[in-house]
Amino acid sequence: MPEKSPQPNSAQSNSPQPGIPQPSNRQPRVPQPSGPQAKRPEPKSQTRRKNGSGFSSLTEGVLELLASGQATTRTELALLLGAAPSTVSFAVGQLLTHGLVTEEGTLSSTGGRPRKVLRLGGSDGYAVAADLGGKHAHVGVVHPGGGLTDVSTVPFPTADGPEAALPGLAETLEALADRHGRDLLRGVGLCLPGPVDVEPGLVTLPARMPGWNRFPVRDWLEERFGVPVAIENDANCMAVGEHSVRPVEHRQSIMVKAGSGIGAGVIANGRLYRGGTGAAGEITHVRVEAAHDTPCSCGNTGCLETVASGAALVRILRERGRDVTSTEDVVRLATDADPEATRAVREAGRYLGRVLAANVNFFNPDAVYLGGILSTLEPFVAAVRSQLYEGCHPLVTEHLVIERAGLGADAGLVGAGQFALQRALAQALHAVTGHQS
């Protein structure tokens, strides 16, 4: 099996070389066995279960894994999907017939015949993606297999509402598409800092996005670009992006975004877990004792967000006499070793760690990844890590990885682009086979 390439450095994303390991450099993620009974009715396995990208069949699962770069051969696909090699070969054969997959070269093998390398048909295509913040958007081009290029940060006035903010962002993404060839544009991905109803493509009850509630973001962008569009919550995008470059054994993970707000994305058995209504990972509104009766944006009081988020730190430091107006100001003070800022940041990390400890004890993940601007502060990360070791059972933390996201600020961008490419593939599959996702 080929060696894993070193993880990318977020600061190198503007290089013309892709900033993320390519598919040929990644090992397959091996799923848990589905059970010993060969003839029992097929369970709702990860290859058959619907998710937000529209993949629900074995064939669609093959496309998803090839698009993300998690597998490049029939053998890897069979291991990852938990399916018989003959079944996978039949599915791949169908995709080859329809031109959705092509064969390209071979990989050397330690035994037996060399394995043929699979790639998506038309892999010269790409997606443009944007990760939206309060005042800026992180934009770039995402290629099949996870390559990331043309990354930059542009102004984005979220508070002005979608009608005012989206046209400027669309122009930026169109410029990226023109640079790479509009005929090769396969999809558009948007990473949003609020709850998302994936099926209709709407933002629902966002706390810090005035005017965005129930706005048809996906329809607006699809009409503008004429290609499939995927929109997703920022923590979920980060979870998917980070998962695509992590070791094969990290199949269960929690990605926490700690910025102006707090969110989490959950990867279970190598797939994004959304929960019954798509709200999995909403830890920000867990009640914590330290918050007392502090009002929260959700309408309740005493939520984690009121004591551990960047917005909470701004409020707390202003009450302590510090001149701060944004989470960036908090980070600047803490980086300069301001005593009040450092103390407040450490307290925030402890509160987050205590809430995470309950989730980690329950879920028993392989890894907890920390992203968002607060994760750049060592006192914050150390406090979270300390609370997890203190509050979790030793069996849970024995092999638990707790560290910053390897993709840094690019994790959400990579995830949004992958969602867009997967949505485009789902529509392409339906177009050539008539199968409705």
Side-chain angles (χ1 to χ4, degrees):
M1 195 171 289
E3 295 184 357
K4 181 177 176 66
S5 298
Q7 293 182 15
N9 186 327
S10 175
Q12 296 175 345
S13 295
N14 285 311
S15 168
Q17 296 295 325
I20 300 172
Q22 296 300 300
S24 60
N25 294 330
R26 224 153 23 234
Q27 303 179 28
R29 303 191 191 307
V30 182
Q32 296 177 346
S34 58
Q37 296 89 352
K39 295 185 179 180
R40 74 181 195 182
E42 184 180 9
K44 289 184 178 179
S45 69
Q46 61 179 349
T47 63
R48 294 286 178 181
R49 193 170 186 172
K50 280 212 171 194
N51 59 47
S53 59
F55 291 89
S56 57
S57 71
L58 177 67
T59 302
E60 292 167 328
V62 169
L63 283 175
E64 180 183 15
L65 295 174
L66 293 177
S68 65
Q70 296 176 48
T72 60
T73 67
R74 290 171 176 81
T75 301
E76 292 175 355
L77 287 167
L79 288 171
L80 182 54
L81 294 170
S86 59
T87 304
V88 170
S89 291
F90 178 76
V92 170
Q94 287 185 313
L95 295 172
L96 288 168
T97 299
H98 291 298
L100 294 176
V101 168
T102 61
E103 291 179 324
E104 181 181 84
T106 59
L107 289 176
S108 60
S109 176
T110 55
R113 295 178 301 175
R115 293 170 291 171
K116 293 183 179 180
V117 177
L118 302 172
R119 64 190 287 267
L120 295 178
S123 288
D124 290 335
Y126 62 91
V128 291
D131 181 358
L132 307 186
K135 298 179 180 178
H136 298 88
H138 200 49
V139 301
V141 174
V142 180
H143 304 272
L148 180 65
T149 60
D150 299 80
V151 177
S152 65
T153 299
V154 297
F156 185 77
T158 303
D160 291 350
E163 292 93 342
L166 284 175
L169 177 66
E171 290 178 3
T172 299
L173 296 179
E174 285 171 339
L176 289 176
D178 291 338
R179 189 182 310 165
H180 287 262
R182 289 296 288 264
D183 58 323
L184 297 176
L185 178 64
R186 300 290 179 256
V188 177
L190 212 58
C191 176
L192 296 162
V196 171
D197 190 343
V198 174
E199 290 303 320
L202 308 172
V203 186
T204 57
L205 300 176
R208 296 180 179 84
M209 301 178 71
W212 289 78
N213 186 44
R214 309 300 297 178
F215 182 84
V217 179
R218 190 176 68 199
D219 289 348
W220 191 97
L221 288 170
E222 286 186 342
E223 183 177 350
R224 177 79 176 241
F225 284 88
V227 296
V229 173
I231 71 168
E232 184 54 87
N233 166 266
D234 52 3
N236 284 346
C237 284
M238 293 177 68
V240 168
E242 185 68 15
H243 175 69
S244 70
V245 298
R246 284 294 177 165
V248 59
E249 60 269 19
H250 292 183
R251 298 177 52 246
Q252 331 287 339
S253 63
I254 299 175
M255 161 62 77
V256 180
K257 180 181 180 182
S260 296
I262 296 174
V266 180
I267 298 291
N269 289 328
R271 304 291 293 275
L272 178 67
Y273 178 74
R274 298 180 183 279
T277 60
E282 282 292 330
I283 63 173
T284 189
H285 298 299
V286 173
R287 297 288 295 276
V288 293
E289 184 178 355
H292 304 295
D293 294 324
T294 306
C296 179
S297 60
C298 71
N300 287 329
T301 59
C303 296
L304 175 66
E305 178 179 299
T306 66
V307 291
S309 67
L313 287 171
V314 171
R315 186 195 76 244
I316 291 168
L317 288 175
R318 287 177 68 86
E319 292 171 353
R320 296 178 184 177
R322 293 297 186 269
D323 182 19
V324 294
T325 59
S326 67
T327 306
E328 289 78 9
D329 291 339
V330 174
V331 170
R332 176 179 50 79
L333 284 179
T335 302
D336 291 340
D338 177 89
E340 283 297 334
T342 302
R343 180 162 70 94
V345 164
R346 189 175 287 117
E347 289 172 348
R350 281 199 292 265
Y351 299 142
L352 174 59
R354 289 169 189 167
V355 169
L356 274 179
N359 288 274
V360 169
N361 273 324
F362 178 79
F363 179 45
N364 187 24
D366 300 306
V368 174
Y369 305 126
L370 302 175
I373 191 171
L374 293 182
S375 73
T376 63
L377 299 173
E378 183 56 34
F380 181 84
V381 174
V384 172
R385 184 181 289 114
S386 174
Q387 288 300 312
L388 287 176
Y389 282 121
E390 180 180 328
C392 293
H393 192 281
L395 287 176
V396 173
T397 58
E398 183 178 9
H399 301 294
L400 180 66
V401 173
I402 310 167
E403 59 188 31
R404 295 182 180 91
L407 290 178
D410 293 338
L413 200 57
V414 172
Q418 288 191 9
F419 279 123
L421 290 171
Q422 290 168 12
R423 183 170 173 81
L425 283 169
Q427 293 193 13
L429 182 63
H430 173 57
V432 298
T433 66
H435 175 76
Q436 182 63 51
S437 299

